[in-house]
PDB file of all heavy atoms in Angstrom:
ATOM      1  N   PRO A 119     144.798  72.399  50.042  1.00  0.00           N
ATOM      2  CA  PRO A 119     146.059  72.607  50.768  1.00  0.00           C
ATOM      3  C   PRO A 119     147.170  73.188  49.894  1.00  0.00           C
ATOM      4  O   PRO A 119     148.060  73.863  50.390  1.00  0.00           O
ATOM      5  CB  PRO A 119     146.436  71.211  51.252  1.00  0.00           C
ATOM      6  CG  PRO A 119     145.229  70.374  51.096  1.00  0.00           C
ATOM      7  CD  PRO A 119     144.365  71.008  50.076  1.00  0.00           C
ATOM      8  N   ALA A 120     147.126  72.945  48.584  1.00  0.00           N
ATOM      9  CA  ALA A 120     148.156  73.466  47.687  1.00  0.00           C
ATOM     10  C   ALA A 120     148.136  74.989  47.624  1.00  0.00           C
ATOM     11  O   ALA A 120     149.128  75.609  47.238  1.00  0.00           O
ATOM     12  CB  ALA A 120     147.967  72.886  46.285  1.00  0.00           C
ATOM     13  N   ALA A 121     147.029  75.607  48.032  1.00  0.00           N
ATOM     14  CA  ALA A 121     146.929  77.070  47.988  1.00  0.00           C
ATOM     15  C   ALA A 121     147.918  77.744  48.927  1.00  0.00           C
ATOM     16  O   ALA A 121     148.224  78.919  48.752  1.00  0.00           O
ATOM     17  CB  ALA A 121     145.509  77.505  48.324  1.00  0.00           C
ATOM     18  N   ARG A 122     148.452  77.005  49.893  1.00  0.00           N
ATOM     19  CA  ARG A 122     149.461  77.591  50.785  1.00  0.00           C
ATOM     20  C   ARG A 122     150.683  78.046  50.012  1.00  0.00           C
ATOM     21  O   ARG A 122     151.365  78.975  50.424  1.00  0.00           O
ATOM     22  CB  ARG A 122     149.891  76.572  51.833  1.00  0.00           C
ATOM     23  CG  ARG A 122     148.855  76.268  52.840  1.00  0.00           C
ATOM     24  CD  ARG A 122     149.377  75.272  53.839  1.00  0.00           C
ATOM     25  NE  ARG A 122     148.331  74.960  54.787  1.00  0.00           N
ATOM     26  CZ  ARG A 122     148.316  73.893  55.536  1.00  0.00           C
ATOM     27  NH1 ARG A 122     149.296  73.028  55.466  1.00  0.00           N
ATOM     28  NH2 ARG A 122     147.324  73.686  56.374  1.00  0.00           N
ATOM     29  N   SER A 123     150.972  77.383  48.911  1.00  0.00           N
ATOM     30  CA  SER A 123     152.172  77.691  48.123  1.00  0.00           C
ATOM     31  C   SER A 123     151.893  78.554  46.902  1.00  0.00           C
ATOM     32  O   SER A 123     152.771  78.713  46.059  1.00  0.00           O
ATOM     33  CB  SER A 123     152.832  76.385  47.664  1.00  0.00           C
ATOM     34  OG  SER A 123     153.227  75.624  48.771  1.00  0.00           O
ATOM     35  N   LEU A 124     150.701  79.100  46.781  1.00  0.00           N
ATOM     36  CA  LEU A 124     150.413  79.943  45.623  1.00  0.00           C
ATOM     37  C   LEU A 124     151.278  81.201  45.638  1.00  0.00           C
ATOM     38  O   LEU A 124     151.423  81.852  46.675  1.00  0.00           O
ATOM     39  CB  LEU A 124     148.938  80.350  45.601  1.00  0.00           C
ATOM     40  CG  LEU A 124     147.952  79.290  45.154  1.00  0.00           C
ATOM     41  CD1 LEU A 124     146.528  79.811  45.297  1.00  0.00           C
ATOM     42  CD2 LEU A 124     148.227  78.850  43.732  1.00  0.00           C
ATOM     43  N   PRO A 125     151.866  81.570  44.499  1.00  0.00           N
ATOM     44  CA  PRO A 125     152.684  82.792  44.440  1.00  0.00           C
ATOM     45  C   PRO A 125     151.907  84.061  44.773  1.00  0.00           C
ATOM     46  O   PRO A 125     152.484  85.016  45.277  1.00  0.00           O
ATOM     47  CB  PRO A 125     153.164  82.812  42.991  1.00  0.00           C
ATOM     48  CG  PRO A 125     153.091  81.405  42.537  1.00  0.00           C
ATOM     49  CD  PRO A 125     151.931  80.797  43.266  1.00  0.00           C
ATOM     50  N   SER A 126     150.617  84.067  44.523  1.00  0.00           N
ATOM     51  CA  SER A 126     149.837  85.277  44.785  1.00  0.00           C
ATOM     52  C   SER A 126     149.647  85.539  46.277  1.00  0.00           C
ATOM     53  O   SER A 126     149.110  86.575  46.655  1.00  0.00           O
ATOM     54  CB  SER A 126     148.482  85.193  44.092  1.00  0.00           C
ATOM     55  OG  SER A 126     147.844  83.980  44.398  1.00  0.00           O
ATOM     56  N   ARG A 127     150.112  84.642  47.139  1.00  0.00           N
ATOM     57  CA  ARG A 127     150.077  84.877  48.588  1.00  0.00           C
ATOM     58  C   ARG A 127     151.371  85.516  49.073  1.00  0.00           C
ATOM     59  O   ARG A 127     151.575  85.681  50.262  1.00  0.00           O
ATOM     60  CB  ARG A 127     149.848  83.560  49.330  1.00  0.00           C
ATOM     61  CG  ARG A 127     148.495  82.946  49.025  1.00  0.00           C
ATOM     62  CD  ARG A 127     148.197  81.795  49.925  1.00  0.00           C
ATOM     63  NE  ARG A 127     147.754  82.337  51.208  1.00  0.00           N
ATOM     64  CZ  ARG A 127     148.029  81.781  52.369  1.00  0.00           C
ATOM     65  NH1 ARG A 127     148.748  80.694  52.432  1.00  0.00           N
ATOM     66  NH2 ARG A 127     147.595  82.322  53.476  1.00  0.00           N
ATOM     67  N   ARG A 128     152.257  85.878  48.175  1.00  0.00           N
ATOM     68  CA  ARG A 128     153.545  86.474  48.522  1.00  0.00           C
ATOM     69  C   ARG A 128     153.582  87.909  48.024  1.00  0.00           C
ATOM     70  O   ARG A 128     152.921  88.266  47.064  1.00  0.00           O
ATOM     71  CB  ARG A 128     154.704  85.689  47.897  1.00  0.00           C
ATOM     72  CG  ARG A 128     154.680  84.198  48.123  1.00  0.00           C
ATOM     73  CD  ARG A 128     154.734  83.841  49.600  1.00  0.00           C
ATOM     74  NE  ARG A 128     154.778  82.417  49.842  1.00  0.00           N
ATOM     75  CZ  ARG A 128     153.709  81.660  50.057  1.00  0.00           C
ATOM     76  NH1 ARG A 128     152.520  82.160  50.012  1.00  0.00           N
ATOM     77  NH2 ARG A 128     153.851  80.378  50.320  1.00  0.00           N
ATOM     78  N   HIS A 129     154.412  88.719  48.653  1.00  0.00           N
ATOM     79  CA  HIS A 129     154.474  90.138  48.313  1.00  0.00           C
ATOM     80  C   HIS A 129     155.590  90.451  47.315  1.00  0.00           C
ATOM     81  O   HIS A 129     155.371  91.138  46.327  1.00  0.00           O
ATOM     82  CB  HIS A 129     154.678  90.962  49.590  1.00  0.00           C
ATOM     83  CG  HIS A 129     154.551  92.425  49.382  1.00  0.00           C
ATOM     84  ND1 HIS A 129     153.339  93.071  49.411  1.00  0.00           N
ATOM     85  CD2 HIS A 129     155.465  93.370  49.107  1.00  0.00           C
ATOM     86  CE1 HIS A 129     153.519  94.343  49.175  1.00  0.00           C
ATOM     87  NE2 HIS A 129     154.803  94.560  48.993  1.00  0.00           N
ATOM     88  N   PHE A 130     156.780  89.949  47.562  1.00  0.00           N
ATOM     89  CA  PHE A 130     157.933  90.303  46.746  1.00  0.00           C
ATOM     90  C   PHE A 130     158.142  89.274  45.631  1.00  0.00           C
ATOM     91  O   PHE A 130     157.833  88.097  45.787  1.00  0.00           O
ATOM     92  CB  PHE A 130     159.192  90.413  47.611  1.00  0.00           C
ATOM     93  CG  PHE A 130     159.081  91.507  48.629  1.00  0.00           C
ATOM     94  CD1 PHE A 130     158.726  91.221  49.941  1.00  0.00           C
ATOM     95  CD2 PHE A 130     159.289  92.820  48.280  1.00  0.00           C
ATOM     96  CE1 PHE A 130     158.599  92.230  50.879  1.00  0.00           C
ATOM     97  CE2 PHE A 130     159.161  93.836  49.205  1.00  0.00           C
ATOM     98  CZ  PHE A 130     158.807  93.539  50.510  1.00  0.00           C
ATOM     99  N   ALA A 131     158.672  89.726  44.521  1.00  0.00           N
ATOM    100  CA  ALA A 131     158.811  88.881  43.333  1.00  0.00           C
ATOM    101  C   ALA A 131     159.698  87.672  43.586  1.00  0.00           C
ATOM    102  O   ALA A 131     159.405  86.574  43.105  1.00  0.00           O
ATOM    103  CB  ALA A 131     159.365  89.706  42.164  1.00  0.00           C
ATOM    104  N   LEU A 132     160.764  87.829  44.332  1.00  0.00           N
ATOM    105  CA  LEU A 132     161.650  86.702  44.613  1.00  0.00           C
ATOM    106  C   LEU A 132     160.910  85.634  45.411  1.00  0.00           C
ATOM    107  O   LEU A 132     161.023  84.442  45.121  1.00  0.00           O
ATOM    108  CB  LEU A 132     162.892  87.181  45.364  1.00  0.00           C
ATOM    109  CG  LEU A 132     163.938  86.114  45.676  1.00  0.00           C
ATOM    110  CD1 LEU A 132     164.425  85.449  44.397  1.00  0.00           C
ATOM    111  CD2 LEU A 132     165.109  86.733  46.432  1.00  0.00           C
ATOM    112  N   ALA A 133     160.138  86.037  46.397  1.00  0.00           N
ATOM    113  CA  ALA A 133     159.345  85.076  47.172  1.00  0.00           C
ATOM    114  C   ALA A 133     158.278  84.426  46.302  1.00  0.00           C
ATOM    115  O   ALA A 133     157.981  83.241  46.453  1.00  0.00           O
ATOM    116  CB  ALA A 133     158.710  85.765  48.368  1.00  0.00           C
ATOM    117  N   ARG A 134     157.717  85.175  45.367  1.00  0.00           N
ATOM    118  CA  ARG A 134     156.735  84.605  44.440  1.00  0.00           C
ATOM    119  C   ARG A 134     157.375  83.547  43.535  1.00  0.00           C
ATOM    120  O   ARG A 134     156.786  82.499  43.284  1.00  0.00           O
ATOM    121  CB  ARG A 134     156.115  85.700  43.577  1.00  0.00           C
ATOM    122  CG  ARG A 134     155.148  86.559  44.304  1.00  0.00           C
ATOM    123  CD  ARG A 134     154.674  87.706  43.412  1.00  0.00           C
ATOM    124  NE  ARG A 134     153.713  88.497  44.109  1.00  0.00           N
ATOM    125  CZ  ARG A 134     152.444  88.639  43.742  1.00  0.00           C
ATOM    126  NH1 ARG A 134     152.005  88.066  42.653  1.00  0.00           N
ATOM    127  NH2 ARG A 134     151.616  89.362  44.448  1.00  0.00           N
ATOM    128  N   LEU A 135     158.572  83.835  43.060  1.00  0.00           N
ATOM    129  CA  LEU A 135     159.268  82.880  42.204  1.00  0.00           C
ATOM    130  C   LEU A 135     159.619  81.610  42.984  1.00  0.00           C
ATOM    131  O   LEU A 135     159.431  80.497  42.490  1.00  0.00           O
ATOM    132  CB  LEU A 135     160.530  83.514  41.619  1.00  0.00           C
ATOM    133  CG  LEU A 135     161.322  82.658  40.631  1.00  0.00           C
ATOM    134  CD1 LEU A 135     160.481  82.306  39.419  1.00  0.00           C
ATOM    135  CD2 LEU A 135     162.593  83.388  40.211  1.00  0.00           C
ATOM    136  N   ILE A 136     160.121  81.769  44.192  1.00  0.00           N
ATOM    137  CA  ILE A 136     160.434  80.607  45.031  1.00  0.00           C
ATOM    138  C   ILE A 136     159.161  79.803  45.299  1.00  0.00           C
ATOM    139  O   ILE A 136     159.165  78.573  45.241  1.00  0.00           O
ATOM    140  CB  ILE A 136     161.105  81.056  46.344  1.00  0.00           C
ATOM    141  CG1 ILE A 136     162.497  81.600  46.051  1.00  0.00           C
ATOM    142  CG2 ILE A 136     161.166  79.916  47.350  1.00  0.00           C
ATOM    143  CD1 ILE A 136     163.149  82.317  47.214  1.00  0.00           C
ATOM    144  N   SER A 137     158.072  80.501  45.558  1.00  0.00           N
ATOM    145  CA  SER A 137     156.799  79.836  45.795  1.00  0.00           C
ATOM    146  C   SER A 137     156.324  79.082  44.560  1.00  0.00           C
ATOM    147  O   SER A 137     155.803  77.969  44.665  1.00  0.00           O
ATOM    148  CB  SER A 137     155.757  80.866  46.224  1.00  0.00           C
ATOM    149  OG  SER A 137     154.534  80.256  46.472  1.00  0.00           O
ATOM    150  N   LEU A 138     156.511  79.671  43.387  1.00  0.00           N
ATOM    151  CA  LEU A 138     156.128  79.004  42.146  1.00  0.00           C
ATOM    152  C   LEU A 138     156.930  77.722  41.951  1.00  0.00           C
ATOM    153  O   LEU A 138     156.371  76.666  41.629  1.00  0.00           O
ATOM    154  CB  LEU A 138     156.347  79.943  40.955  1.00  0.00           C
ATOM    155  CG  LEU A 138     156.104  79.355  39.564  1.00  0.00           C
ATOM    156  CD1 LEU A 138     154.630  79.068  39.366  1.00  0.00           C
ATOM    157  CD2 LEU A 138     156.614  80.294  38.498  1.00  0.00           C
ATOM    158  N   LEU A 139     158.236  77.784  42.171  1.00  0.00           N
ATOM    159  CA  LEU A 139     159.073  76.592  42.032  1.00  0.00           C
ATOM    160  C   LEU A 139     158.702  75.541  43.069  1.00  0.00           C
ATOM    161  O   LEU A 139     158.671  74.346  42.763  1.00  0.00           O
ATOM    162  CB  LEU A 139     160.550  76.973  42.144  1.00  0.00           C
ATOM    163  CG  LEU A 139     161.073  77.916  41.056  1.00  0.00           C
ATOM    164  CD1 LEU A 139     162.499  78.344  41.366  1.00  0.00           C
ATOM    165  CD2 LEU A 139     160.979  77.269  39.692  1.00  0.00           C
ATOM    166  N   ARG A 140     158.399  75.992  44.266  1.00  0.00           N
ATOM    167  CA  ARG A 140     157.994  75.074  45.331  1.00  0.00           C
ATOM    168  C   ARG A 140     156.658  74.424  45.000  1.00  0.00           C
ATOM    169  O   ARG A 140     156.448  73.242  45.257  1.00  0.00           O
ATOM    170  CB  ARG A 140     157.912  75.845  46.646  1.00  0.00           C
ATOM    171  CG  ARG A 140     157.701  74.996  47.830  1.00  0.00           C
ATOM    172  CD  ARG A 140     157.862  75.836  49.087  1.00  0.00           C
ATOM    173  NE  ARG A 140     157.203  75.157  50.171  1.00  0.00           N
ATOM    174  CZ  ARG A 140     156.464  75.725  51.076  1.00  0.00           C
ATOM    175  NH1 ARG A 140     156.296  77.025  51.055  1.00  0.00           N
ATOM    176  NH2 ARG A 140     155.908  75.027  52.027  1.00  0.00           N
ATOM    177  N   PHE A 141     155.730  75.178  44.445  1.00  0.00           N
ATOM    178  CA  PHE A 141     154.413  74.665  44.083  1.00  0.00           C
ATOM    179  C   PHE A 141     154.552  73.586  43.018  1.00  0.00           C
ATOM    180  O   PHE A 141     153.852  72.581  43.047  1.00  0.00           O
ATOM    181  CB  PHE A 141     153.532  75.805  43.565  1.00  0.00           C
ATOM    182  CG  PHE A 141     152.096  75.410  43.351  1.00  0.00           C
ATOM    183  CD1 PHE A 141     151.190  75.531  44.390  1.00  0.00           C
ATOM    184  CD2 PHE A 141     151.658  74.933  42.133  1.00  0.00           C
ATOM    185  CE1 PHE A 141     149.866  75.181  44.209  1.00  0.00           C
ATOM    186  CE2 PHE A 141     150.332  74.580  41.942  1.00  0.00           C
ATOM    187  CZ  PHE A 141     149.430  74.710  42.988  1.00  0.00           C
ATOM    188  N   ARG A 142     155.466  73.808  42.083  1.00  0.00           N
ATOM    189  CA  ARG A 142     155.661  72.828  40.999  1.00  0.00           C
ATOM    190  C   ARG A 142     156.256  71.526  41.506  1.00  0.00           C
ATOM    191  O   ARG A 142     155.947  70.458  40.989  1.00  0.00           O
ATOM    192  CB  ARG A 142     156.578  73.410  39.935  1.00  0.00           C
ATOM    193  CG  ARG A 142     155.928  74.421  39.063  1.00  0.00           C
ATOM    194  CD  ARG A 142     156.916  74.863  38.031  1.00  0.00           C
ATOM    195  NE  ARG A 142     156.301  75.719  37.054  1.00  0.00           N
ATOM    196  CZ  ARG A 142     156.964  76.282  36.066  1.00  0.00           C
ATOM    197  NH1 ARG A 142     158.256  76.069  35.934  1.00  0.00           N
ATOM    198  NH2 ARG A 142     156.346  77.057  35.214  1.00  0.00           N
ATOM    199  N   THR A 143     157.154  71.603  42.478  1.00  0.00           N
ATOM    200  CA  THR A 143     157.836  70.399  42.954  1.00  0.00           C
ATOM    201  C   THR A 143     157.051  69.657  44.027  1.00  0.00           C
ATOM    202  O   THR A 143     157.293  68.487  44.255  1.00  0.00           O
ATOM    203  CB  THR A 143     159.233  70.736  43.523  1.00  0.00           C
ATOM    204  OG1 THR A 143     159.090  71.669  44.589  1.00  0.00           O
ATOM    205  CG2 THR A 143     160.117  71.314  42.442  1.00  0.00           C
ATOM    206  N   LYS A 144     156.107  70.328  44.692  1.00  0.00           N
ATOM    207  CA  LYS A 144     155.297  69.695  45.716  1.00  0.00           C
ATOM    208  C   LYS A 144     154.205  68.860  45.088  1.00  0.00           C
ATOM    209  O   LYS A 144     153.737  69.141  43.990  1.00  0.00           O
ATOM    210  CB  LYS A 144     154.633  70.760  46.600  1.00  0.00           C
ATOM    211  CG  LYS A 144     155.361  71.086  47.844  1.00  0.00           C
ATOM    212  CD  LYS A 144     154.553  72.091  48.592  1.00  0.00           C
ATOM    213  CE  LYS A 144     154.471  71.718  50.032  1.00  0.00           C
ATOM    214  NZ  LYS A 144     153.733  72.695  50.797  1.00  0.00           N
ATOM    215  N   ASP A 145     153.757  67.858  45.816  1.00  0.00           N
ATOM    216  CA  ASP A 145     152.612  67.081  45.369  1.00  0.00           C
ATOM    217  C   ASP A 145     151.354  67.837  45.748  1.00  0.00           C
ATOM    218  O   ASP A 145     150.930  67.811  46.903  1.00  0.00           O
ATOM    219  CB  ASP A 145     152.630  65.698  46.016  1.00  0.00           C
ATOM    220  CG  ASP A 145     151.474  64.833  45.545  1.00  0.00           C
ATOM    221  OD1 ASP A 145     150.878  65.143  44.503  1.00  0.00           O
ATOM    222  OD2 ASP A 145     151.188  63.855  46.235  1.00  0.00           O
ATOM    223  N   SER A 146     150.768  68.521  44.779  1.00  0.00           N
ATOM    224  CA  SER A 146     149.599  69.343  45.074  1.00  0.00           C
ATOM    225  C   SER A 146     148.341  68.501  45.228  1.00  0.00           C
ATOM    226  O   SER A 146     147.310  68.998  45.634  1.00  0.00           O
ATOM    227  CB  SER A 146     149.395  70.400  43.987  1.00  0.00           C
ATOM    228  OG  SER A 146     149.239  69.773  42.734  1.00  0.00           O
ATOM    229  N   GLY A 147     148.418  67.217  44.902  1.00  0.00           N
ATOM    230  CA  GLY A 147     147.252  66.351  45.027  1.00  0.00           C
ATOM    231  C   GLY A 147     147.228  65.587  46.336  1.00  0.00           C
ATOM    232  O   GLY A 147     146.495  64.615  46.474  1.00  0.00           O
ATOM    233  N   ALA A 148     148.014  65.999  47.314  1.00  0.00           N
ATOM    234  CA  ALA A 148     148.062  65.305  48.600  1.00  0.00           C
ATOM    235  C   ALA A 148     146.721  65.437  49.314  1.00  0.00           C
ATOM    236  O   ALA A 148     146.095  66.494  49.270  1.00  0.00           O
ATOM    237  CB  ALA A 148     149.177  65.889  49.469  1.00  0.00           C
ATOM    238  N   PRO A 149     146.275  64.357  49.969  1.00  0.00           N
ATOM    239  CA  PRO A 149     144.985  64.434  50.667  1.00  0.00           C
ATOM    240  C   PRO A 149     145.078  65.336  51.898  1.00  0.00           C
ATOM    241  O   PRO A 149     146.135  65.494  52.487  1.00  0.00           O
ATOM    242  CB  PRO A 149     144.731  62.984  51.086  1.00  0.00           C
ATOM    243  CG  PRO A 149     146.080  62.359  51.143  1.00  0.00           C
ATOM    244  CD  PRO A 149     146.908  63.062  50.102  1.00  0.00           C
ATOM    245  N   MET A 150     143.956  65.929  52.245  1.00  0.00           N
ATOM    246  CA  MET A 150     143.903  66.796  53.416  1.00  0.00           C
ATOM    247  C   MET A 150     143.873  65.934  54.671  1.00  0.00           C
ATOM    248  O   MET A 150     143.212  64.899  54.703  1.00  0.00           O
ATOM    249  CB  MET A 150     142.661  67.696  53.365  1.00  0.00           C
ATOM    250  CG  MET A 150     142.748  68.738  52.299  1.00  0.00           C
ATOM    251  SD  MET A 150     141.455  70.005  52.308  1.00  0.00           S
ATOM    252  CE  MET A 150     140.237  69.486  53.405  1.00  0.00           C
ATOM    253  N   THR A 151     144.562  66.357  55.699  1.00  0.00           N
ATOM    254  CA  THR A 151     144.581  65.632  56.966  1.00  0.00           C
ATOM    255  C   THR A 151     143.695  66.323  57.996  1.00  0.00           C
ATOM    256  O   THR A 151     143.808  66.049  59.177  1.00  0.00           O
ATOM    257  CB  THR A 151     146.023  65.532  57.501  1.00  0.00           C
ATOM    258  OG1 THR A 151     146.532  66.850  57.637  1.00  0.00           O
ATOM    259  CG2 THR A 151     146.894  64.738  56.559  1.00  0.00           C
TER     260      THR A 151
END
């Protein structure tokens, strides 16, 4: 599920940077529902 926030799924650099910061702050180990 953490792949939703991967920067490589974004086109523009600003969106990639926001995605990177979001990925770092999110709990990437959350269980799948």
